Amino acid sequence: MIKKLADDELQPRLEQLQSLYRLCHQLTNVMFQPIHIVRLDERSLNIFILAGQDEGIELEIKPDGSIEP
């Protein structure tokens, strides 16, 4: 059985937001790559990022703030 999450449970955690800020800065200001999509995955609660000139950069930020390619 799949548990339906309430809207307040679909908020990113502070650790995720800090990692998201650093990662967005790195992608845009250091690597000069566009960011196409930033989305909170309702199933895993990871933040998904699609970036890059050819959309070839896919990253996920876990609730603890760690980043996975």
Side-chain angles (χ1 to χ4, degrees):
M1 179 179 218
I2 297 175
K3 178 186 170 196
K4 178 141 175 72
L5 298 174
D7 286 339
D8 60 336
E9 292 180 285
L10 293 177
Q11 299 293 321
R13 299 185 63 195
L14 177 60
E15 295 87 352
Q16 283 178 301
L17 294 175
Q18 290 171 333
S19 291
L20 177 63
Y21 178 82
R22 285 192 303 273
L23 190 56
C24 287
H25 176 270
Q26 192 102 27
L27 284 167
T28 58
N29 293 342
V30 177
M31 300 171 62
F32 300 105
Q33 297 295 317
I35 297 171
H36 301 282
I37 295 173
V38 175
R39 183 177 189 285
L40 182 64
D41 185 336
E42 296 172 4
R43 298 168 295 163
S44 66
L45 299 180
N46 293 345
I47 295 176
F48 174 77
I49 301 169
L50 179 65
Q53 298 294 337
D54 59 356
E55 298 180 358
I57 301 172
E58 294 183 19
L59 301 164
E60 286 193 55
I61 304 173
K62 297 176 123 187
D64 67 1
S66 63
I67 300 169
E68 291 191 355

